[in-house]
Amino acid sequence: MRISPFAFAVYSGMFLLVKEACDYGIAPDLRGSETPFKVGYASLAVLGSQRVPAFPPLNCLRYLETLQFIFDEGVPVDSEDVMGFTALHHATASPKATEAMTRCLLGNGANVNHRNRFGEISLLGCMQLDLVPIIKILMESGADLDLPDADGCTVRQHYLYCGPRVIAVVASCIRQRLGIVAPRAEKRCDACGAHEVKLKICSRCKVARYCSVKCQAQEWKEHKRLCTPFMPGNTVLIKPFYEQFGCTVPVSDFSRRLFGYPTHASSFSERLTRTSHIPRNLRRGPKVLVVKVQVPPQSGGEHPDLLIYTKRRNFACTVRRRDCVEGYDRISAVVRLDGSGGVKAYFMAELESPEKLVIKFCDILAEQPW
């Protein structure tokens, strides 16, 4: 109840009332703020878009038009409240964050690396909420991964603990900045880039994907330098062990649920306890899989079981070192050395039989969002 009528119109997305107030010169100083919290008008528009229910008869909810209009009228885009939050902080640190509002703020000059009183940039907030589209926008807009907050924590240090979706998008953006291409970074044809079509894999390396024979032929001159089949020198033989092995829900999802944040795990309860699963139709030949290998931390010289599963969990198993010492040690070493955070990595694999899984360790795939 402490905001002015003009601020209420901004907060409610009443574009016509906001425009009328500015046109008639009855709007307050647009460079100022409202309430003892010193909330700027751009922040009010953002906060209202996340909180005000829809009332079409009142002509509300024209937030993008309202936000752009007040920017054109001189509202500062990086106005801070008492906590040092700007409109961009508010726009990206809410479960209801939208790409449109974020792009509008950045398009009008919002500082993607503005730090609040806790030293946090906007990217840290949306990583906590698993807001992948917003993370991608901020990364593409030049978010700094090495700016420390008040506790000395940086994005580069923290993103590895925010779950597979966040890890995948941040790692992808880091590779783009460095000009590095990783296998299977996106689900698209490796030749023409088509992504809304059915893709077939290269029968030799099992990694490259193409939408047509024509695309495969055009790309062969470049691809043949990297195209290596499954061979003894680049694969390890793993003996799966099938039993009930616990959950495959990311720790980050447990944390978000604990603090009341929404999660993206549609089958959260189903994944709390999973049983091993063997794909069907193995009689037709080896089944090509993309597998995630998780390596638990070692403790007291012990060798904990590895966890291996596919995106849909239609194949899931553990690996005990005593069943395949050489394979266990080799794949563990690769994951610890080159995997995400030294604890997980994604590989192409062939399941030749329920007791024989061949993993191609020479081609570590891009981080996947599962």
Side-chain angles (χ1 to χ4, degrees), residues 115-335:
R115 300 158 84 181
N116 60 26
R117 288 183 61 182
F118 308 103
E120 299 167 330
I121 63 174
S122 299
L123 184 55
L124 279 169
C126 60
M127 280 167 47
Q128 292 293 100
L129 291 169
D130 204 17
L131 301 175
V132 170
I134 307 299
I135 293 171
K136 189 173 183 180
I137 292 172
L138 295 178
M139 290 286 292
E140 291 172 347
S141 299
D144 191 330
L145 305 184
D146 299 305
L147 277 178
D149 65 10
D151 295 316
C153 178
T154 67
V155 171
R156 197 180 300 276
Q157 296 167 336
H158 187 56
Y159 84 94
L160 293 169
Y161 303 96
C162 294
R165 287 165 50 89
V166 173
I167 292 173
V169 68
V170 174
S172 175
C173 291
I174 290 174
R175 286 193 300 270
Q176 287 179 9
R177 291 183 180 185
L178 298 175
I180 298 172
V181 179
R184 303 235 175 172
E186 297 180 48
K187 189 176 181 180
R188 60 177 180 79
C189 174
D190 287 354
C192 69
H195 60 277
E196 295 182 354
V197 295
K198 187 175 181 179
L199 302 173
K200 294 184 178 181
I201 63 173
C202 172
S203 60
R204 191 165 182 259
C205 69
K206 307 294 193 297
V207 175
R209 294 177 293 185
Y210 302 101
C211 63
S212 65
V213 174
K214 180 181 178 180
C215 276
Q216 185 176 17
Q218 290 176 346
E219 188 70 8
W220 174 244
K221 185 176 180 180
E222 293 294 327
H223 176 59
K224 67 179 179 180
R225 298 182 293 104
L226 306 173
C227 186
T228 56
F230 279 56
M231 300 183 298
N234 62 21
T235 61
V236 292
L237 178 61
I238 296 294
K239 183 179 180 181
F241 178 67
Y242 302 100
E243 64 172 358
Q244 187 165 305
F245 52 77
C247 74
T248 57
V249 175
V251 174
S252 56
D253 278 350
F254 280 105
S255 300
R256 291 186 179 102
R257 287 204 162 207
L258 179 65
F259 290 106
Y261 297 148
T263 65
H264 293 274
S266 57
S267 55
F268 188 92
S269 59
E270 295 178 9
R271 295 181 183 177
L272 289 177
T273 303
R274 299 288 300 201
T275 56
S276 300
H277 194 89
I278 308 172
R280 301 176 181 177
N281 303 323
L282 287 180
R283 294 180 181 178
R284 299 179 182 177
K287 192 170 185 67
V288 179
L289 307 170
V290 176
V291 297
K292 179 180 182 179
V293 180
Q294 292 187 189
V295 181
Q298 290 179 308
S299 57
E302 297 181 356
H303 298 280
D305 294 348
L306 308 183
L307 178 60
I308 301 179
Y309 57 92
T310 58
K311 179 179 180 180
R312 296 182 180 179
R313 279 65 167 178
N314 55 358
F315 170 74
C317 71
T318 55
V319 178
R320 303 181 300 184
R321 186 172 185 269
R322 63 179 178 271
D323 293 334
C324 49
V325 176
E326 184 179 349
Y328 178 102
D329 289 346
R330 174 61 69 86
I331 199 66
S332 296
V334 172
V335 174

